[in-house]
Amino acid sequence: YYEKQSGLKKYLLNYIFKNSNLLLWETKYLTQYFSNTFPKVKSCWFTNTRTKKSYVRNNLNEYNKRFVFVSSVSKVKGIDYLLEAFKKLDSSYTLDIYGPLVDYSAEELLGNNFQYKGVIPAEHVNRVLVDYDVLVLPTFWTCEGYPGIIPKAFNSGLPVIATKMGGIPEMIQDNSNGFLIESKSEIALKEAILKISKDNYPSMSGLALKSFENYDSNVVNKRILAHICDELVSNK
């Protein structure tokens, strides 16, 4: 958005940024980008945070091929590719889809091993996630930052299979706390799903749970508050 602006809009944005004491950015990429663009202004990484919940899978070592999608149920979130991938998997692999319907009806999301389960109230998301093994997010939305559902999945001990869009590659370490795949490819999605097994799942689930530390609001907010206090002191 910033790079596409010109004239008065670009001038106003530059004026605001140059005259700020502290700039906070959701992704590491943006933090570095604006640190280089405005080197005299302090830029800090302020990641998408979530409050730590007590809802964690009962057995982090157990893998039952239960997959879950939680987001807006729209084409840009990769639903078509998700459905095609599961059509190519046997019935031991199951997928439940949650979220507001945008481009689909519930009937279109009903298959041999997948189904639509409605919208989860925000306060119950973690409670629902613990019933699954893996979160899948095959989005190709070009404006992806840090999808909030990924930290929630980590909080519950779920590895994540997601596309290399926006800030997602900063959240997922391939073959560690999940898998990164190319967008718009049911083949890549299916291959990633098949890479998860009873042997590697315990390690991936444990690493996913540990990854939540990067998004824990208690930790992140204290760090940001410290940056703000430092700026207040230095500008007295």
Side-chain angles (χ1 to χ4, degrees), residues 53-60 62 66 68 124-133 152-153 155-158 201:
K53 302 292 185 182
S54 59
Y55 302 111
V56 178
R57 300 179 72 252
N58 290 329
N59 187 346
L60 293 173
E62 188 175 338
R66 298 171 301 188
V68 62
H124 295 157
V125 172
N126 285 93
R127 194 177 301 171
V128 170
L129 287 175
V130 296
D131 292 330
Y132 298 92
D133 302 317
K152 287 187 176 183
N155 187 156
S156 298
L158 273 67
Y201 185 80

Side-chain angles (χ1 to χ4, degrees), residues 48 50 66-83 85-86 95-100 129 133-154 158-169 171-172 177-186 188-190 192-193 196:
N48 193 346
R50 290 295 182 270
R66 298 171 301 188
F67 291 75
V68 62
F69 170 95
V70 184
S71 186
S72 62
V73 187
S74 58
K75 290 188 179 296
V76 294
K77 293 294 184 176
I79 293 294
D80 289 344
Y81 301 95
L82 186 57
L83 299 185
F86 271 84
L95 167 70
D96 286 344
I97 299 170
Y98 295 90
L129 287 175
D133 302 317
V134 181
L135 174 76
V136 283
L137 188 63
T139 176
F140 54 92
W141 187 41
T142 56
C143 296
E144 291 289 1
Y146 281 4
I149 190 59
I150 294 181
K152 287 187 176 183
F154 289 160
L158 273 67
V160 179
I161 297 175
T163 46
K164 303 174 184 177
M165 298 298 297
I168 293 176
M171 308 179 79
I172 299 173
N177 58 1
F179 287 106
L180 287 168
I181 61 172
E182 298 299 330
S183 60
K184 299 184 179 182
S185 174
E186 66 268 20
L189 181 54
K190 178 187 173 185
I193 290 170
I196 300 177

Side-chain angles (χ1 to χ4, degrees), residues 22-27 31 35 42-46 223-224 227:
L22 180 65
L23 299 173
L24 304 175
W25 307 101
E26 184 182 47
T27 69
T31 305
S35 291
K42 186 175 182 180
S43 281
C44 294
W45 178 46
F46 190 5
R223 174 171 57 82
I224 296 301
H227 285 305

Side-chain angles (χ1 to χ4, degrees), residues 217-234:
S217 59
N218 289 327
V219 176
V220 176
N221 292 347
K222 287 179 182 178
R223 174 171 57 82
I224 296 301
L225 183 58
H227 285 305
I228 293 172
C229 290
D230 287 344
E231 288 304 307
L232 289 173
V233 171
S234 63

